């Protein structure tokens, strides 16, 4: 895994958006895997700024989002569908039919997940997957213990994830206890992965993912087995890696 260590959040967002735009310039039909959470907000802001300033044309981009709460209405203020509209899709010209988000209103979740996976395959796979990381090492909503071979599926959220995310709900008891998420294998099929992590709260998860064993107990640790992963970390998220960030990354990717 390649580790890019920068000082602060704005630089994480700048670096990630630059990597995505460079890939998009080479291949305007880019297939992007997108993430929600507080971490990528500045990344979307930066992409939108560049889109407006440089009058870019994103009409060739296709997107697949990592996850969505279940059950939840698309129109719910805390749905990831709504998040993506507010932070990105309402501001750029990606056609609606090229945007794919697991449907939190689906009656048959198995069918919904199969449809979503088939969509990724039909698009030729994800070129660049953006990831955040949970404090417990989850990627998407793949909580500790999720089989590495998993495809998109329904998950029961852990108590720590419910606690971490319920603060965003006006009434915390309204937070859904389940979610639909790309599986670990779905994420690993992406050609390139960019994981963004910010703040000391993520430092232990980043340390374990990079320097600990590859284990289903730490979902992000599987990324060491992917051939093209870049971690973009601010000072806080990198704070437990020790001085030799690049050395540690090089050693652990072997
Ligand atoms: C969320 C999402 C993840 C995200 C993580 C961290 O619940 N399902 O995809 O990476 O938790 O979120 P944040 O960036 O707000 O710390």
């Amino acid at each position: 895994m390649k580790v890019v260590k920068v000082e602060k959040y704005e630089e994480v967002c700048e670096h990630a958006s630059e990597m995505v735009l460079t890939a998009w310039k080479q291949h305007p039909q880019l297939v992007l895997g997108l993430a929600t959470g507080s971490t990528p907000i500045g990344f979307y802001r930066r992409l939108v700024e560049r889109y407006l300033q440089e009058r870019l044309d994103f009409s060739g981009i296709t997107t697949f989002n990592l996850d969505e709460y279940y059950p939840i209405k698309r129109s719910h203020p805390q749905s990831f569908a709504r998040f993506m509209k507010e932070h990105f899709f309402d501001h750029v010209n990606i056609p609606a039919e090229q945007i794919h988000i697991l449907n939190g209103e689906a009656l048959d979740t198995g069918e919904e997940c199969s449809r979503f996976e088939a969509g990724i395959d039909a698009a030729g796979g994800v070129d660049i997957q953006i990831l955040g990381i949970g404090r417990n090492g989850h990627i998407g909503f793949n909580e500790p213990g999720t089989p590495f071979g998993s495809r998109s599926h329904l998950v029961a959220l852990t108590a720590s994830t419910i606690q971490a995310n319920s603060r965003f709900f006006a009434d915390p008891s309204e937070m859904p206890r389940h979610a639909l998420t790309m599986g670990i294998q779905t994420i690993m099929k992406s050609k390139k992965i960019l994981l963004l992590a910010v703040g000391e709260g993520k430092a232990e998860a980043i340390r374990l993912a990079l320097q600990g064993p590859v284990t289903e107990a730490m979902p992000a640790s599987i990324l060491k087995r992917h051939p093209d992963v870049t971690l973009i970390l601010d000072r806080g998220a990198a704070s437990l890696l020790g001085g030799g960030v690049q050395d540690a990354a090089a050693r652990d990717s072997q």
Side-chain angles (χ1 to χ4, degrees), residues 66 131-134 137-142 181 184 187 195 219-220 222-223:
L66 265 178
L131 288 183
I133 185 169
H138 74 219
I139 48 177
F141 269 133
N142 292 289
T181 182
I184 304 257
I187 293 170
L195 185 147
I222 188 68
L223 299 176

Side-chain angles (χ1 to χ4, degrees), residues 34-41 66-69 80 83 130-136 138-143 157 161-162 164-165 167-168 175 179-181 195-198 202:
L34 297 176
T36 52
S38 49
T39 309
I41 289 177
L66 265 178
D67 48 18
E68 176 61 284
Y69 291 121
F80 290 165
F83 173 104
I130 305 296
L131 288 183
I133 185 169
R135 284 168 186 250
N136 62 3
H138 74 219
I139 48 177
F141 269 133
N142 292 289
E143 301 282 19
L157 299 174
T161 299
I162 292 168
N165 289 20
R167 64 198 152 101
F168 298 114
M175 160 133 185
L180 298 171
T181 182
L195 185 147
L196 282 45
V198 176
K202 300 293 173 66

